[in-house]
Amino acid sequence: MPSYRRWRKDGGMFFLTVVTFERAGHFNDAASRELLRAAMDKAFGERPWRTVGFVLLPDHWHALWHLPEGDSDYSWRIGRIKALFTRAYLTAGGDHGQPTASQRRNRRQAVWQPRFLEHTIRDARDFWKHLNYIHINPVKHGLVARPADWPWSTFHKWAKMGYYEVDWAGQGELPGFTHYDWPDVGHAGS
């Protein structure tokens, strides 16, 4: 079995992808979206971060998180969000898949895929590539014709700040930022 090591950078910015188990559409309903927001709010209260970009789709979410100086533990935050959401979701009667043997051994529910994807943002070009990917994702999945039509995204905040045109649909380059002027757009994609 390969040994995978996650990249750690204190105070770094990370692109993250978290997916539901077997791509179940848990976030198709408002109650589940609210449970996820509550889980993120609680985790944020315990160990804050800055959400620079975020999109929630029916079966996964993407985020750009900027962690505080001296902190690189995005894994704890994601694990905490998953655990808080799972507990609240199942208590509220939410559906879950059939747990795998590994999930049963580790006493985990079949609500989330066991792992998540991460990428450390290297520079302004890498930043814009991933922020654009986050914002175009609902279009890529055929959910809407343009990012402005998807309500669960930080696209609206970025457009309001003047970085995107409302009718932007993935074309063109956007200006880069230095490390010190990435805007703060909240922590849970609201």
Side-chain angles (χ1 to χ4, degrees):
M1 180 163 145
S3 176
Y4 178 77
R5 292 185 186 261
R6 293 195 182 277
W7 182 257
R8 303 282 182 194
K9 181 180 179 194
D10 286 351
M13 183 174 294
F14 305 94
F15 171 77
L16 305 160
T17 300
V18 183
V19 182
T20 61
F21 185 72
E22 295 181 341
R23 293 275 183 175
H26 298 319
F27 306 116
N28 279 321
D29 69 275
S32 294
R33 290 189 298 270
E34 189 54 40
L35 291 174
L36 180 64
R37 175 182 291 282
M40 288 183 162
D41 287 347
K42 183 160 178 54
F44 179 84
E46 295 168 357
R47 293 186 65 184
W49 67 87
R50 176 186 282 176
T51 295
V52 180
F54 183 84
V55 67
L56 176 63
L57 283 82
D59 60 0
H60 69 286
W61 53 270
H62 297 290
L64 269 177
W65 284 358
H66 192 193
L67 298 188
E69 286 302 317
D71 190 345
S72 65
D73 200 356
Y74 48 80
S75 293
W76 181 91
R77 289 166 173 90
I78 289 175
R80 184 74 171 136
I81 290 166
K82 284 175 150 183
L84 290 166
F85 174 82
T86 298
R87 190 174 309 124
Y89 179 73
L90 295 177
T91 298
D95 292 332
H96 60 85
Q98 183 64 31
T100 64
S102 173
Q103 287 170 322
R104 284 192 301 275
R105 263 193 320 276
N106 293 303
R107 298 185 321 177
R108 295 204 169 136
Q109 300 295 324
V111 174
W112 297 100
Q113 282 188 5
R115 295 186 175 34
F116 62 91
L117 299 174
E118 58 79 20
H119 167 80
T120 302
I121 300 300
R122 294 180 202 94
D123 56 29
R125 184 170 197 73
D126 196 33
F127 167 80
W128 281 112
K129 174 183 164 187
H130 286 86
L131 187 67
N132 288 346
Y133 181 84
I134 285 170
H135 292 150
I136 202 69
N137 212 250
V139 176
K140 175 184 166 236
H141 287 280
L143 299 168
V144 291
R146 58 190 192 136
D149 299 332
W150 190 251
W152 303 288
S153 168
T154 53
F155 176 82
H156 308 282
K157 290 183 179 184
W158 281 89
K160 191 174 185 178
M161 291 186 295
Y163 293 102
Y164 290 100
E165 295 295 322
V166 174
D167 61 350
W168 179 81
Q171 72 284 1
E173 294 255 344
L174 295 170
F177 284 122
T178 67
H179 171 72
Y180 298 102
D181 56 11
W182 284 317
D184 181 4
V185 293
H187 70 86
S190 58

